[in-house]
Amino acid sequence: MSKDFILPDIGEGIVECEIVEWLVAEGDAVKEDQPICDVMTDKALVQIPAVHDGVISKLYYAKGDIAKVHAPLFAMDVDGEAPTQSEEAQAPAATEAPSETGEHLEDFILPDIGEGIVECEIVEWLVSEGDEVVEDQAVCDVMTDKALVQIPAKYTGKVKKLYYQKGDIAAVHSPLFQMSIAGQSAEPDVSSAVVKAQTNAVTKSAEKSAPASSATKQLNKKAVASPAVRRKARELDVDLTQVPGSGKNGRIYKQDIEDFLNETPSQETQQQAAPKAAEPAATVTAVSGGSRVEPIKGIKAAMAKQMVASVSTIPHFTFCDEIDLTKLIAMRSELKEQYKQQGVKLTMMPFFIKALSLAIKQFPVLNSQVNDDCSELTYFDDHNIGMAVDSKIGLLVPNIKSCQSKSIVDVANEVTRLTEAARDGRVSPDDLKGGTISISNIGAIGGTIATPIINKPEVAIVALGKLQHLPRFDAQGNVISAAIMQVSWSGDHRVIDGGTIARFNNLWKSYLEDPAKMMMAMS
């Protein structure tokens, strides 16, 4: 069966790319994961692989052409597949649809949404069958075993069919939903008609929703918006928590931001929202002896497997200590406002990460990985330091790449970017791969001592406890108030012994307790 390969999202904000080189020709037999072509975006050169075994039946572009994201790139006859009776029966209907109704029915093919991802769970449909949608409007949220991903519409039109229910598992490269695109036909020479039809669809949709939106817009404390909308809000310096959303569950669209900037929300709207928030919850009759079963899926399932593999194969040992952060806190307080004016959010985490990287230079075994049978140890030049983030979809550990070559300001910017992405559950797969050592800031929630589980195949992890102001003795024997943080290390006892981690911790601690020493080590 001939199947189109849909060019997936190959980078944030990338909508097209140039065909640099075809690595195959029409008629060639290819294997799964075999490179098909090189494409150039405005950010990088990307190689596109085959996702099935088969024979290339058509290349839709020539070398040097500009290919569109979410459009067919090439077609191939997939080995072992043949058209089903339903597909053969649907083909004439789909062909006749444009001529009879002036509408073109098109399936949205679920694209590659991460390396190695072959399926995902439908978390929430943000539209219903029959709804009018505009290009780039969010259609649904899906959950992979790595992140929460939002799927946008690529055309303006009407949703005809949703192929899955909430909670179902959708397969990559299969139809996710079907749209009716007004004014589009099978002929390729009707681009002007498509533009006109799309414009009319947007106008009608806006006219239809205008009176209702003012009454149904919802203001949420936790802004619900896509990454593109959040980016626009940052560019316009708009606080999304103050923007009423016109979408389902108060979801915010770009138009909502523009409306918010054009006119301040009326006092009447705010007064209407207040009583709703203050309404008491419906009385629920208590029922004893009940239970419910929830499947463990997505991020939680992946974390469960990872933790079991780590505990069952790595002999953990824990080392605890306390660090006096009084001087570091004072230095950060002096610099915080200065860097805030430059758009840099200077928290304590960048200092912990940079000090860790400096200490690794003298103890490279902390930045290594051991193979499964413990016969080889691989040392890494790059310090890719991970941060465990408690996101709304579960535990994520994105990592900052090459910390050894970054300044504290560079690290701070990466901490902010990754933390925001992780809390929204939208970290890219590249940010989750390649970590070499991890930090868990459990103290941000509470607690002082922990026994963290190593993020296999790494060999060490440290948990930061909460900051406490405790009485301590100074050099003269006087009792003073010191900013104390407890830290808990877990190490892989196959390659790290207690003395090594104690000496490593002492060096890391010395950088944090004496910031001047850390600055000198960076020079």
Side-chain angles (χ1 to χ4, degrees):
M1 181 184 73
S2 183
K3 179 178 289 188
D4 283 344
F5 175 90
I6 305 300
L7 182 61
D9 292 310
I10 47 180
E12 184 176 358
I14 303 297
V15 296
E16 61 184 18
C17 58
E18 178 189 349
I19 305 297
V20 176
E21 190 75 43
W22 283 106
L23 307 176
V24 297
E26 291 182 1
D28 285 359
V30 297
K31 295 292 185 181
E32 184 179 355
D33 292 332
Q34 178 180 335
I36 301 297
C37 66
D38 290 329
V39 300
M40 177 70 77
T41 72
D42 59 359
K43 296 181 179 179
L45 184 70
V46 180
Q47 198 166 73
I48 305 297
V51 294
H52 304 288
D53 292 347
V55 177
I56 301 296
S57 57
K58 187 175 181 63
L59 304 178
Y60 288 110
Y61 299 92
K63 179 179 177 179
D65 285 353
I66 302 300
K68 299 290 185 183
V69 168
H70 299 145
L73 183 64
F74 59 88
M76 65 184 294
D77 295 321
V78 180
D79 289 352
E81 290 192 11
T84 63
Q85 292 181 355
S86 61
E87 286 174 337
E88 292 173 349
Q90 290 174 2
T95 305
E96 293 169 5
S99 58
E100 294 178 1
T101 66
E103 295 181 338
H104 171 63
L105 295 179
E106 179 166 319
D107 284 340
F108 177 92
I109 305 300
L110 183 61
D112 291 313
I113 48 181
E115 183 177 344
I117 303 298
V118 296
E119 62 183 17
C120 59
E121 177 191 351
I122 306 297
V123 175
E124 186 80 42
W125 283 108
L126 308 176
V127 298
S128 302
E129 292 182 359
D131 284 359
E132 297 280 350
V133 296
V134 296
E135 184 179 355
D136 290 331
Q137 178 178 337
V139 174
C140 67
D141 287 332
V142 301
M143 175 79 76
T144 73
D145 60 356
K146 296 181 179 178
L148 184 69
V149 180
Q150 198 165 74
I151 305 297
K154 59 178 180 176
Y155 301 114
T156 294
K158 181 183 287 186
V159 177
K160 280 292 189 180
K161 186 173 183 179
L162 305 178
Y163 288 110
Y164 297 94
Q165 301 295 321
K166 179 179 177 180
D168 286 352
I169 302 299
V172 168
H173 302 139
S174 68
L176 185 64
F177 58 90
Q178 187 182 70
M179 283 187 63
S180 168
I181 305 169
Q184 207 177 70
S185 71
E187 297 296 326
D189 299 325
V190 290
S191 57
S192 59
V194 174
V195 172
K196 183 177 179 181
Q198 290 179 347
T199 304
N200 291 339
V202 175
T203 304
K204 290 178 182 178
S205 176
E207 291 173 353
K208 184 177 179 180
S209 62
S213 63
S214 60
T216 60
K217 282 191 176 183
Q218 180 178 338
L219 192 63
N220 287 337
K221 290 182 179 180
K222 173 65 175 176
V224 182
S226 68
V229 173
R230 292 181 182 277
R231 184 165 59 248
K232 181 171 183 177
R234 286 195 298 271
E235 291 170 354
L236 298 175
D237 196 22
V238 172
D239 182 359
L240 283 178
T241 60
Q242 303 301 314
V243 180
S246 59
K248 185 177 180 180
N249 299 325
R251 180 171 292 274
I252 300 169
Y253 299 121
K254 292 180 180 179
Q255 186 61 44
D256 295 327
I257 295 178
E258 295 174 4
D259 293 343
F260 177 77
L261 293 174
N262 290 336
E263 60 176 328
T264 306
S266 64
Q267 185 177 359
E268 181 182 354
T269 304
Q270 296 175 356
Q271 290 175 346
Q272 289 175 353
K276 289 183 180 180
E279 288 178 3
T283 304
V284 179
T285 304
V287 179
S288 61
S291 65
R292 62 191 179 97
V293 177
E294 290 185 353
I296 300 176
K297 297 185 287 188
I299 295 289
K300 292 181 179 178
M303 182 183 70
K305 292 177 183 178
Q306 179 77 354
M307 295 300 100
V308 169
S310 178
V311 171
S312 60
T313 60
I314 297 176
H316 285 57
F317 76 98
T318 301
F319 172 89
C320 301
D321 198 1
E322 68 175 36
I323 302 177
D324 186 347
L325 299 176
T326 306
K327 292 182 180 179
L328 183 59
I329 291 172
M331 185 184 76
R332 172 183 168 268
S333 298
E334 293 177 3
L335 300 174
K336 182 179 177 182
E337 289 304 318
Q338 173 187 339
Y339 282 101
K340 185 178 180 181
Q341 295 173 5
Q342 301 175 26
V344 179
K345 187 177 181 181
L346 195 62
T347 63
M348 295 293 287
M349 184 58 76
F351 295 98
F352 288 116
I353 291 173
K354 190 60 186 179
L356 194 64
S357 178
L358 292 172
I360 286 173
K361 290 181 179 180
Q362 296 189 37
F363 292 87
V365 71
L366 270 292
N367 201 58
S368 66
Q369 291 179 6
V370 65
N371 63 352
D372 288 339
D373 61 2
C374 201
S375 61
E376 292 180 350
L377 193 60
T378 302
Y379 292 84
F380 296 96
D381 295 332
D382 286 337
H383 305 167
N384 299 340
I385 300 177
M387 307 176 298
V389 181
D390 181 32
S391 77
K392 64 181 182 181
I393 60 172
L395 181 66
L396 295 174
V397 191
N399 62 82
I400 300 172
K401 302 291 193 292
S402 304
C403 293
Q404 78 281 359
S405 59
K406 285 182 168 62
S407 67
I408 288 180
V409 172
D410 294 334
V411 172
N413 288 331
E414 281 292 278
V415 167
T416 300
R417 179 182 71 84
L418 293 175
T419 301
E420 290 178 354
R423 285 175 179 165
D424 287 339
R426 304 187 187 281
V427 183
S428 72
D430 286 341
D431 288 327
L432 293 169
K433 293 187 302 184
T436 55
I437 190 170
S438 298
I439 297 178
S440 175
N441 189 12
I442 189 65
I445 301 173
T448 56
I449 301 295
T451 54
I453 297 176
I454 296 169
N455 187 23
K456 187 180 180 181
E458 298 168 13
V459 297
I461 184 173
V462 63
L464 310 178
K466 68 179 180 181
L467 189 67
Q468 303 178 90
H469 290 275
L470 301 173
R472 290 294 184 269
F473 291 100
D474 63 11
Q476 289 74 39
N478 300 314
V479 177
I480 59 171
S481 174
I484 302 297
M485 174 179 283
Q486 304 285 340
V487 296
S488 307
W489 283 96
S490 284
D492 184 340
H493 220 325
R494 294 175 298 175
V495 294
I496 302 173
D497 55 38
T500 299
I501 208 162
R503 286 187 287 271
F504 173 79
N505 177 78
N506 289 342
L507 180 59
W508 180 55
K509 174 180 176 179
S510 69
Y511 289 142
L512 295 172
E513 292 190 337
D514 187 357
K517 181 178 179 180
M518 178 165 59
M519 298 303 147
M520 291 301 296
M522 291 171 58
S523 59

